[in-house]
Amino acid sequence: MTLEKTTTILLTGGAGYIGSHTFAALIDAGYQPVILDNFSNSHPAVLDRLQQLTGQRVVRERGDVLHAGFVAEVLRHYACEAVIHFAGVKAVGESVQQPLKYYSNNVGGLVSLLQAMETSACRSVVFSSSATVYGDPASVPIHEQFPCAPESPYAQTKLMCEDILASLGAADPAWRVGVLRYFNPVGAHPSGLIGENPRGTPNNLMPYVTQVAVGKRARLQVFGDDYLTPDGTGVRDYLHVMDLAEGHVAAVQALLTRHQSFTVNLGTGKGVSVLEVLSAFERASGRRVPFEFAPRRAGDVAQYYADVSLAEAVLGWRATRTLDDMCRDSWRWQQTNPEGYEAGPDIPPRPGLRSRPNEPAQPAAVA
Ligand code: NAD
Ligand code: UDP
């Protein structure tokens, strides 16, 4: 079965880091993506950048996935055939401090979305899960059949969401669910127009490295030099965000054409150490990145990388971009946007619709 060019896909959290790159990849593949975002962790200026990048009007609605009535209205208005659910909060450390924020937004948000889908005859959903569901694996590479043992409230919310989706699929076979367990997304669109826009001090390695290289921070702290890894520093599976975005296109395509649910890892299958990232980044940017060794970061594991054979078998997808590509594109984004997205115009509410007190906003203007 071939898909109509105009298949419409709702992207909750589509203004965020991974969602915005997936928006661009979906347009490239001939889909019509619709962004639904409350902009709690993204900047509306990304919409102008996406318009510049794709040459197309960016269809978007401002609102919250916790508001099921609003989501259902959007699904029906655009006749969405599938949803990619990116919306959520994602800082592991913050989830330990504020677990209710995570259970409410991530688990409550998914339940609300699924209720909205149920009333709108839309039964295909791709879910942003995370490799953190595996906890500290007994060995690497990590296969999807490994036991899940989440170690933070954040990771726990992802596993709970996977369980909810599995229950739904078991109760009603009309549901098609694609669970994607991401490893470490990094990089940016090669145009330099969109990229990762962390607020405050970055928690993750790559945005920290780029901020040191651009002079915003003095030096990188390398957390731990005594892991049982080839050079003593932590090993991760870094994945170019455009490969990840294309993985979502493959996932949507698989759900809509083959009508089967799946749970797959998305990574490169290669483990790379912190020192290897640093030297690749220095090569790509031509800048020195000062660093010092610091104690291990609480909760970190020595190595983490994916077995990616199932993704290739189920989706016909594999990552093609190299570590050098990831560093080059991260650097281009950082260098051309040292402050991230500039202040842009806010999206006005659609005339005639009222926001109720203490409720997320009603749908904004249909772009
Ligand atoms: P992001 O914060 O850049 O994007 C999330 C978007 O969702 C933001 O634009 C935010 O404004 C929006 N949002 C949050 N709560 C919302 C709500 N209740 N209603 C509407 N919009 C809401 O994050 P990202 O890095 O693009 O991650 C996307 C998804 O992928 C998240 O679910 C995250 O947990 C998951 N994930 C990310 C990584 C990573 O390293 N970036 C790794 C594994 C999994
Ligand atoms: N890391 C580091 N310094 C930093 C941030 C991260 O040395 O400022 C290391 C971290 O210990 C891990 C790797 O870089 O070994 C990737 O960390 P990140 O937070 O990006 O991803 P995660 O640990 O969530 O996989």
Side-chain angles (χ1 to χ4, degrees):
M1 173 185 156
T2 50
L3 291 170
E4 293 294 317
K5 279 279 178 196
T6 52
T7 303
T8 303
I9 315 289
L10 184 69
L11 310 187
T12 71
Y17 173 45
I18 301 168
S20 56
H21 290 79
T22 302
F23 181 95
L26 284 165
I27 294 269
D28 270 355
Y31 289 92
Q32 174 58 70
V34 173
I35 290 176
L36 185 160
D37 205 298
N38 66 3
F39 296 93
S40 57
N41 196 39
S42 47
H43 197 292
V46 70
L47 303 171
D48 297 333
R49 300 294 186 89
L50 284 172
Q51 180 153 343
Q52 224 180 311
L53 185 63
T54 61
Q56 292 195 25
R57 205 175 49 131
V58 175
V59 185
R60 83 285 189 179
E61 295 283 352
R62 183 176 201 145
D64 202 297
V65 287
L66 285 162
H67 187 174
F70 160 73
V71 179
E73 195 183 324
V74 172
L75 285 167
R76 284 194 289 265
H77 181 87
Y78 294 102
C80 297
E81 289 180 39
V83 177
I84 308 181
H85 183 48
F86 298 105
V89 278
K90 62 170 183 176
V92 173
E94 185 187 58
S95 79
V96 177
Q97 304 305 322
Q98 300 180 49
L100 288 181
K101 174 176 174 181
Y102 280 70
Y103 288 107
S104 159
N105 206 34
N106 292 4
V107 181
L110 176 75
V111 171
S112 160
L113 168 70
L114 296 173
Q115 286 169 334
M117 290 175 72
E118 214 162 34
T119 64
S120 323
C122 178
R123 295 281 186 284
S124 296
V125 58
V126 174
F127 176 65
S128 294
S129 190
S130 160
T132 58
V133 296
Y134 296 114
D136 191 356
S139 62
V140 281
I142 302 172
H143 190 272
E144 288 83 352
Q145 296 306 319
F146 277 23
C148 288
E151 291 185 345
S152 67
Y154 167 74
Q156 188 71 53
T157 66
K158 291 295 178 187
L159 190 57
M160 288 171 79
C161 288
E162 290 193 13
D163 288 345
I164 290 166
L165 289 162
S167 305
L168 203 56
D172 178 357
W175 282 94
R176 318 276 178 229
V177 177
V179 171
L180 305 180
R181 293 178 176 161
Y182 312 158
F183 279 68
N184 289 57
V186 297
H189 192 275
S191 63
L193 284 169
I194 57 171
E196 190 171 8
N197 193 36
R199 294 186 169 169
T201 307
N203 294 312
N204 296 114
L205 178 65
M206 188 63 90
Y208 206 105
V209 167
T210 63
Q211 291 195 5
V212 172
V214 85
K216 286 178 81 172
R217 303 190 186 273
R219 66 180 53 77
L220 174 76
Q221 292 198 314
V222 175
F223 299 139
D225 62 356
D226 58 353
Y227 285 110
L228 285 178
T229 58
D231 64 20
T233 66
V235 164
R236 295 290 182 275
D237 186 340
Y238 298 96
L239 170 69
H240 196 295
V241 68
M242 288 310 300
D243 276 326
L244 180 58
E246 289 163 10
H248 288 79
V249 175
V252 163
Q253 184 104 20
L255 285 186
L256 293 180
T257 56
R258 294 206 298 280
H259 309 298
Q260 271 174 358
S261 296
F262 49 82
T263 297
V264 297
N265 292 334
L266 293 187
T268 62
K270 285 193 210 77
V272 174
S273 75
V274 176
L275 294 183
E276 285 173 318
V277 170
L278 274 180
S279 74
F281 186 84
E282 291 188 335
R283 227 174 21 246
S285 65
R287 300 267 177 122
R288 270 202 58 249
V289 179
F291 73 92
E292 64 194 11
F293 287 110
R296 293 181 179 193
R297 185 171 65 177
D300 272 358
V301 302
Q303 2 183 24
Y304 225 70
Y305 55 91
D307 181 321
V308 291
S309 48
L310 190 63
E312 185 154 8
V314 171
L315 305 180
W317 169 93
R318 64 185 305 190
T320 58
R321 293 159 178 93
T322 64
L323 180 61
D324 287 353
D325 297 331
M326 301 176 210
C327 292
R328 186 200 57 225
D329 292 336
S330 294
W331 177 235
R332 184 182 297 111
W333 159 251
Q334 177 71 73
Q335 214 182 6
T336 48
N337 304 272
E339 301 304 327
Y341 295 110
E342 288 162 42
D346 217 354
I347 305 172
R350 187 195 297 174
L353 285 176
R354 290 167 290 123
S355 285
R356 277 167 270 167
N358 301 323
E359 279 214 5
Q362 294 283 332
V366 177

mmCIF file of all heavy atoms in Angstrom, residues 55-91:
data_model
loop_
_atom_site.group_PDB
_atom_site.id
_atom_site.type_symbol
_atom_site.label_atom_id
_atom_site.label_comp_id
_atom_site.label_asym_id
_atom_site.label_seq_id
_atom_site.Cartn_x
_atom_site.Cartn_y
_atom_site.Cartn_z
ATOM 1 N N GLY A 55 10.259 25.863 3.308
ATOM 2 C CA GLY A 55 9.581 26.641 2.279
ATOM 3 C C GLY A 55 8.072 26.464 2.353
ATOM 4 O O GLY A 55 7.352 26.763 1.403
ATOM 5 N N GLN A 56 7.588 25.930 3.473
ATOM 6 C CA GLN A 56 6.138 25.698 3.603
ATOM 7 C C GLN A 56 5.606 26.348 4.867
ATOM 8 O O GLN A 56 6.332 26.485 5.849
ATOM 9 C CB GLN A 56 5.863 24.204 3.694
ATOM 10 C CG GLN A 56 6.168 23.505 2.392
ATOM 11 C CD GLN A 56 5.555 22.122 2.366
ATOM 12 O OE1 GLN A 56 4.587 21.846 3.048
ATOM 13 N NE2 GLN A 56 6.127 21.255 1.550
ATOM 14 N N ARG A 57 4.327 26.685 4.811
ATOM 15 C CA ARG A 57 3.639 27.207 5.981
ATOM 16 C C ARG A 57 3.677 26.147 7.080
ATOM 17 O O ARG A 57 3.428 24.968 6.815
ATOM 18 C CB ARG A 57 2.188 27.442 5.569
ATOM 19 C CG ARG A 57 1.437 28.454 6.337
ATOM 20 C CD ARG A 57 0.078 28.595 5.674
ATOM 21 N NE ARG A 57 -0.525 27.280 5.441
ATOM 22 C CZ ARG A 57 -1.766 26.969 5.768
ATOM 23 N NH1 ARG A 57 -2.551 27.869 6.299
ATOM 24 N NH2 ARG A 57 -2.249 25.771 5.529
ATOM 25 N N VAL A 58 4.004 26.561 8.283
ATOM 26 C CA VAL A 58 4.091 25.591 9.382
ATOM 27 C C VAL A 58 2.747 25.536 10.103
ATOM 28 O O VAL A 58 2.313 26.528 10.691
ATOM 29 C CB VAL A 58 5.225 25.975 10.357
ATOM 30 C CG1 VAL A 58 5.244 25.037 11.560
ATOM 31 C CG2 VAL A 58 6.567 25.944 9.626
ATOM 32 N N VAL A 59 2.096 24.398 10.019
ATOM 33 C CA VAL A 59 0.787 24.260 10.652
ATOM 34 C C VAL A 59 1.014 23.914 12.112
ATOM 35 O O VAL A 59 1.689 22.929 12.428
ATOM 36 C CB VAL A 59 -0.043 23.166 9.959
ATOM 37 C CG1 VAL A 59 -1.439 23.118 10.555
ATOM 38 C CG2 VAL A 59 -0.098 23.411 8.462
ATOM 39 N N ARG A 60 0.484 24.744 12.996
ATOM 40 C CA ARG A 60 0.729 24.511 14.417
ATOM 41 C C ARG A 60 -0.424 25.001 15.263
ATOM 42 O O ARG A 60 -1.168 25.905 14.864
ATOM 43 C CB ARG A 60 2.025 25.173 14.875
ATOM 44 C CG ARG A 60 1.908 26.635 15.216
ATOM 45 C CD ARG A 60 1.808 27.509 13.996
ATOM 46 N NE ARG A 60 1.917 28.915 14.392
ATOM 47 C CZ ARG A 60 1.892 29.923 13.576
ATOM 48 N NH1 ARG A 60 1.738 29.724 12.279
ATOM 49 N NH2 ARG A 60 2.000 31.145 14.014
ATOM 50 N N GLU A 61 -0.535 24.386 16.434
ATOM 51 C CA GLU A 61 -1.542 24.768 17.417
ATOM 52 C C GLU A 61 -0.850 24.869 18.764
ATOM 53 O O GLU A 61 -0.087 23.975 19.135
ATOM 54 C CB GLU A 61 -2.650 23.706 17.501
ATOM 55 C CG GLU A 61 -3.464 23.549 16.247
ATOM 56 C CD GLU A 61 -4.495 24.661 16.063
ATOM 57 O OE1 GLU A 61 -4.668 25.474 16.990
ATOM 58 O OE2 GLU A 61 -5.107 24.716 14.981
ATOM 59 N N ARG A 62 -1.140 25.956 19.463
ATOM 60 C CA ARG A 62 -0.557 26.103 20.791
ATOM 61 C C ARG A 62 -1.525 25.532 21.818
ATOM 62 O O ARG A 62 -2.697 25.924 21.843
ATOM 63 C CB ARG A 62 -0.310 27.570 21.093
ATOM 64 C CG ARG A 62 0.347 27.767 22.426
ATOM 65 C CD ARG A 62 0.677 29.223 22.667
ATOM 66 N NE ARG A 62 1.701 29.290 23.680
ATOM 67 C CZ ARG A 62 2.667 30.184 23.704
ATOM 68 N NH1 ARG A 62 2.741 31.124 22.788
ATOM 69 N NH2 ARG A 62 3.562 30.162 24.651
ATOM 70 N N GLY A 63 -1.066 24.626 22.632
ATOM 71 C CA GLY A 63 -1.939 24.046 23.650
ATOM 72 C C GLY A 63 -1.248 22.895 24.338
ATOM 73 O O GLY A 63 -0.101 22.564 24.037
ATOM 74 N N ASP A 64 -1.986 22.292 25.272
ATOM 75 C CA ASP A 64 -1.388 21.311 26.172
ATOM 76 C C ASP A 64 -2.003 19.938 25.934
ATOM 77 O O ASP A 64 -3.229 19.827 25.814
ATOM 78 C CB ASP A 64 -1.655 21.769 27.621
ATOM 79 C CG ASP A 64 -0.680 21.160 28.577
ATOM 80 O OD1 ASP A 64 -0.694 19.915 28.699
ATOM 81 O OD2 ASP A 64 0.107 21.905 29.189
ATOM 82 N N VAL A 65 -1.162 18.907 25.908
ATOM 83 C CA VAL A 65 -1.707 17.557 25.704
ATOM 84 C C VAL A 65 -2.566 17.111 26.883
ATOM 85 O O VAL A 65 -3.362 16.183 26.750
ATOM 86 C CB VAL A 65 -0.615 16.478 25.460
ATOM 87 C CG1 VAL A 65 -0.002 16.601 24.096
ATOM 88 C CG2 VAL A 65 0.426 16.472 26.541
ATOM 89 N N LEU A 66 -2.409 17.768 28.023
ATOM 90 C CA LEU A 66 -3.240 17.391 29.176
ATOM 91 C C LEU A 66 -4.698 17.791 28.979
ATOM 92 O O LEU A 66 -5.561 17.367 29.742
ATOM 93 C CB LEU A 66 -2.685 18.034 30.451
ATOM 94 C CG LEU A 66 -1.410 17.352 30.966
ATOM 95 C CD1 LEU A 66 -0.663 18.241 31.937
ATOM 96 C CD2 LEU A 66 -1.752 16.018 31.610
ATOM 97 N N HIS A 67 -4.953 18.580 27.969
ATOM 98 C CA HIS A 67 -6.307 19.032 27.694
ATOM 99 C C HIS A 67 -6.878 18.164 26.558
ATOM 100 O O HIS A 67 -6.757 18.485 25.375
ATOM 101 C CB HIS A 67 -6.255 20.514 27.302
ATOM 102 C CG HIS A 67 -7.607 21.135 27.166
ATOM 103 N ND1 HIS A 67 -7.777 22.470 26.945
ATOM 104 C CD2 HIS A 67 -8.844 20.606 27.207
ATOM 105 C CE1 HIS A 67 -9.072 22.735 26.850
ATOM 106 N NE2 HIS A 67 -9.727 21.621 27.009
ATOM 107 N N ALA A 68 -7.516 17.042 26.934
ATOM 108 C CA ALA A 68 -7.935 16.041 25.935
ATOM 109 C C ALA A 68 -8.936 16.618 24.930
ATOM 110 O O ALA A 68 -8.904 16.279 23.741
ATOM 111 C CB ALA A 68 -8.532 14.821 26.627
ATOM 112 N N GLY A 69 -9.821 17.516 25.397
ATOM 113 C CA GLY A 69 -10.820 18.081 24.499
ATOM 114 C C GLY A 69 -10.158 18.893 23.389
ATOM 115 O O GLY A 69 -10.539 18.808 22.211
ATOM 116 N N PHE A 70 -9.157 19.650 23.780
ATOM 117 C CA PHE A 70 -8.416 20.451 22.809
ATOM 118 C C PHE A 70 -7.694 19.548 21.800
ATOM 119 O O PHE A 70 -7.752 19.763 20.587
ATOM 120 C CB PHE A 70 -7.420 21.341 23.572
ATOM 121 C CG PHE A 70 -6.285 21.854 22.742
ATOM 122 C CD1 PHE A 70 -6.482 22.844 21.797
ATOM 123 C CD2 PHE A 70 -5.002 21.342 22.898
ATOM 124 C CE1 PHE A 70 -5.435 23.311 21.024
ATOM 125 C CE2 PHE A 70 -3.949 21.808 22.130
ATOM 126 C CZ PHE A 70 -4.165 22.792 21.189
ATOM 127 N N VAL A 71 -7.047 18.504 22.294
ATOM 128 C CA VAL A 71 -6.298 17.605 21.401
ATOM 129 C C VAL A 71 -7.264 16.921 20.424
ATOM 130 O O VAL A 71 -6.974 16.814 19.225
ATOM 131 C CB VAL A 71 -5.489 16.562 22.212
ATOM 132 C CG1 VAL A 71 -4.730 15.631 21.276
ATOM 133 C CG2 VAL A 71 -4.508 17.252 23.156
ATOM 134 N N ALA A 72 -8.422 16.498 20.939
ATOM 135 C CA ALA A 72 -9.400 15.838 20.059
ATOM 136 C C ALA A 72 -9.865 16.793 18.966
ATOM 137 O O ALA A 72 -10.020 16.411 17.800
ATOM 138 C CB ALA A 72 -10.590 15.350 20.885
ATOM 139 N N GLU A 73 -10.056 18.056 19.348
ATOM 140 C CA GLU A 73 -10.491 19.057 18.368
ATOM 141 C C GLU A 73 -9.436 19.218 17.258
ATOM 142 O O GLU A 73 -9.762 19.274 16.073
ATOM 143 C CB GLU A 73 -10.690 20.395 19.094
ATOM 144 C CG GLU A 73 -11.467 21.415 18.303
ATOM 145 C CD GLU A 73 -11.557 22.746 19.051
ATOM 146 O OE1 GLU A 73 -11.672 22.737 20.290
ATOM 147 O OE2 GLU A 73 -11.487 23.784 18.379
ATOM 148 N N VAL A 74 -8.187 19.238 17.671
ATOM 149 C CA VAL A 74 -7.102 19.379 16.689
ATOM 150 C C VAL A 74 -7.035 18.136 15.790
ATOM 151 O O VAL A 74 -6.916 18.248 14.560
ATOM 152 C CB VAL A 74 -5.742 19.616 17.412
ATOM 153 C CG1 VAL A 74 -4.585 19.580 16.428
ATOM 154 C CG2 VAL A 74 -5.762 20.944 18.164
ATOM 155 N N LEU A 75 -7.130 16.965 16.391
ATOM 156 C CA LEU A 75 -7.068 15.720 15.599
ATOM 157 C C LEU A 75 -8.160 15.694 14.543
ATOM 158 O O LEU A 75 -7.923 15.316 13.391
ATOM 159 C CB LEU A 75 -7.227 14.504 16.521
ATOM 160 C CG LEU A 75 -6.015 14.131 17.379
ATOM 161 C CD1 LEU A 75 -6.410 13.118 18.455
ATOM 162 C CD2 LEU A 75 -4.895 13.559 16.511
ATOM 163 N N ARG A 76 -9.363 16.111 14.945
ATOM 164 C CA ARG A 76 -10.491 16.078 14.001
ATOM 165 C C ARG A 76 -10.356 17.171 12.947
ATOM 166 O O ARG A 76 -10.584 16.945 11.774
ATOM 167 C CB ARG A 76 -11.816 16.217 14.750
ATOM 168 C CG ARG A 76 -12.217 14.927 15.449
ATOM 169 C CD ARG A 76 -13.663 14.966 15.882
ATOM 170 N NE ARG A 76 -13.844 15.900 16.986
ATOM 171 C CZ ARG A 76 -13.831 15.543 18.263
ATOM 172 N NH1 ARG A 76 -13.653 14.287 18.605
ATOM 173 N NH2 ARG A 76 -13.989 16.441 19.220
ATOM 174 N N HIS A 77 -9.958 18.357 13.402
ATOM 175 C CA HIS A 77 -9.865 19.494 12.485
ATOM 176 C C HIS A 77 -8.930 19.179 11.311
ATOM 177 O O HIS A 77 -9.209 19.516 10.169
ATOM 178 C CB HIS A 77 -9.360 20.727 13.238
ATOM 179 C CG HIS A 77 -9.264 21.948 12.392
ATOM 180 N ND1 HIS A 77 -10.341 22.804 12.198
ATOM 181 C CD2 HIS A 77 -8.252 22.444 11.637
ATOM 182 C CE1 HIS A 77 -9.972 23.788 11.382
ATOM 183 N NE2 HIS A 77 -8.706 23.581 11.026
ATOM 184 N N TYR A 78 -7.804 18.523 11.627
ATOM 185 C CA TYR A 78 -6.812 18.255 10.578
ATOM 186 C C TYR A 78 -6.920 16.839 10.008
ATOM 187 O O TYR A 78 -6.103 16.457 9.176
ATOM 188 C CB TYR A 78 -5.397 18.472 11.122
ATOM 189 C CG TYR A 78 -5.125 19.916 11.469
ATOM 190 C CD1 TYR A 78 -5.151 20.350 12.784
ATOM 191 C CD2 TYR A 78 -4.863 20.856 10.475
ATOM 192 C CE1 TYR A 78 -4.918 21.675 13.113
ATOM 193 C CE2 TYR A 78 -4.624 22.180 10.785
ATOM 194 C CZ TYR A 78 -4.657 22.582 12.104
ATOM 195 O OH TYR A 78 -4.427 23.900 12.415
ATOM 196 N N ALA A 79 -7.886 16.051 10.492
ATOM 197 C CA ALA A 79 -8.043 14.657 10.047
ATOM 198 C C ALA A 79 -6.712 13.901 10.142
ATOM 199 O O ALA A 79 -6.246 13.285 9.167
ATOM 200 C CB ALA A 79 -8.606 14.607 8.627
ATOM 201 N N CYS A 80 -6.110 13.955 11.320
ATOM 202 C CA CYS A 80 -4.787 13.328 11.505
ATOM 203 C C CYS A 80 -4.928 11.799 11.442
ATOM 204 O O CYS A 80 -5.849 11.231 12.024
ATOM 205 C CB CYS A 80 -4.203 13.711 12.859
ATOM 206 S SG CYS A 80 -3.915 15.478 12.981
ATOM 207 N N GLU A 81 -3.981 11.166 10.758
ATOM 208 C CA GLU A 81 -4.019 9.704 10.647
ATOM 209 C C GLU A 81 -3.105 9.029 11.652
ATOM 210 O O GLU A 81 -3.200 7.826 11.882
ATOM 211 C CB GLU A 81 -3.648 9.287 9.230
ATOM 212 C CG GLU A 81 -4.762 9.661 8.270
ATOM 213 C CD GLU A 81 -4.467 9.291 6.834
ATOM 214 O OE1 GLU A 81 -3.901 8.211 6.600
ATOM 215 O OE2 GLU A 81 -4.802 10.100 5.960
ATOM 216 N N ALA A 82 -2.186 9.778 12.207
ATOM 217 C CA ALA A 82 -1.280 9.204 13.217
ATOM 218 C C ALA A 82 -0.748 10.342 14.077
ATOM 219 O O ALA A 82 -0.814 11.518 13.688
ATOM 220 C CB ALA A 82 -0.119 8.468 12.539
ATOM 221 N N VAL A 83 -0.244 9.955 15.238
ATOM 222 C CA VAL A 83 0.351 10.937 16.155
ATOM 223 C C VAL A 83 1.765 10.481 16.492
ATOM 224 O O VAL A 83 1.994 9.287 16.708
ATOM 225 C CB VAL A 83 -0.465 11.016 17.470
ATOM 226 C CG1 VAL A 83 0.189 11.977 18.456
ATOM 227 C CG2 VAL A 83 -1.907 11.441 17.191
ATOM 228 N N ILE A 84 2.696 11.427 16.521
ATOM 229 C CA ILE A 84 4.005 11.148 17.141
ATOM 230 C C ILE A 84 4.039 11.957 18.426
ATOM 231 O O ILE A 84 3.933 13.190 18.401
ATOM 232 C CB ILE A 84 5.192 11.524 16.225
ATOM 233 C CG1 ILE A 84 5.033 10.898 14.829
ATOM 234 C CG2 ILE A 84 6.496 11.057 16.868
ATOM 235 C CD1 ILE A 84 6.184 11.215 13.871
ATOM 236 N N HIS A 85 4.171 11.243 19.539
ATOM 237 C CA HIS A 85 4.024 11.888 20.854
ATOM 238 C C HIS A 85 5.399 12.187 21.461
ATOM 239 O O HIS A 85 5.984 11.360 22.152
ATOM 240 C CB HIS A 85 3.217 10.978 21.770
ATOM 241 C CG HIS A 85 2.943 11.577 23.114
ATOM 242 N ND1 HIS A 85 2.467 12.857 23.281
ATOM 243 C CD2 HIS A 85 3.072 11.060 24.369
ATOM 244 C CE1 HIS A 85 2.321 13.101 24.589
ATOM 245 N NE2 HIS A 85 2.691 12.036 25.253
ATOM 246 N N PHE A 86 5.879 13.407 21.187
ATOM 247 C CA PHE A 86 7.151 13.861 21.766
ATOM 248 C C PHE A 86 6.932 14.607 23.085
ATOM 249 O O PHE A 86 7.850 14.716 23.888
ATOM 250 C CB PHE A 86 7.853 14.864 20.834
ATOM 251 C CG PHE A 86 8.247 14.328 19.487
ATOM 252 C CD1 PHE A 86 7.533 14.668 18.348
ATOM 253 C CD2 PHE A 86 9.352 13.512 19.348
ATOM 254 C CE1 PHE A 86 7.904 14.201 17.100
ATOM 255 C CE2 PHE A 86 9.739 13.039 18.108
ATOM 256 C CZ PHE A 86 9.008 13.385 16.979
ATOM 257 N N ALA A 87 5.746 15.210 23.252
ATOM 258 C CA ALA A 87 5.551 16.140 24.372
ATOM 259 C C ALA A 87 5.834 15.449 25.696
ATOM 260 O O ALA A 87 5.333 14.360 25.959
ATOM 261 C CB ALA A 87 4.113 16.669 24.363
ATOM 262 N N GLY A 88 6.652 16.097 26.500
ATOM 263 C CA GLY A 88 6.971 15.531 27.801
ATOM 264 C C GLY A 88 8.111 16.315 28.411
ATOM 265 O O GLY A 88 8.694 17.190 27.769
ATOM 266 N N VAL A 89 8.391 16.005 29.662
ATOM 267 C CA VAL A 89 9.548 16.609 30.339
ATOM 268 C C VAL A 89 10.619 15.540 30.435
ATOM 269 O O VAL A 89 10.312 14.356 30.516
ATOM 270 C CB VAL A 89 9.142 17.213 31.705
ATOM 271 C CG1 VAL A 89 8.535 18.589 31.520
ATOM 272 C CG2 VAL A 89 8.163 16.316 32.456
ATOM 273 N N LYS A 90 11.903 15.962 30.433
ATOM 274 C CA LYS A 90 12.941 14.963 30.138
ATOM 275 C C LYS A 90 14.208 15.040 30.978
ATOM 276 O O LYS A 90 15.176 14.349 30.656
ATOM 277 C CB LYS A 90 13.314 15.081 28.662
ATOM 278 C CG LYS A 90 13.901 16.439 28.288
ATOM 279 C CD LYS A 90 14.481 16.472 26.884
ATOM 280 C CE LYS A 90 15.113 17.812 26.587
ATOM 281 N NZ LYS A 90 15.768 17.888 25.289
ATOM 282 N N ALA A 91 14.242 15.865 32.009
ATOM 283 C CA ALA A 91 15.490 15.979 32.776
ATOM 284 C C ALA A 91 15.502 14.956 33.920
ATOM 285 O O ALA A 91 14.706 15.047 34.861
ATOM 286 C CB ALA A 91 15.661 17.385 33.319
#
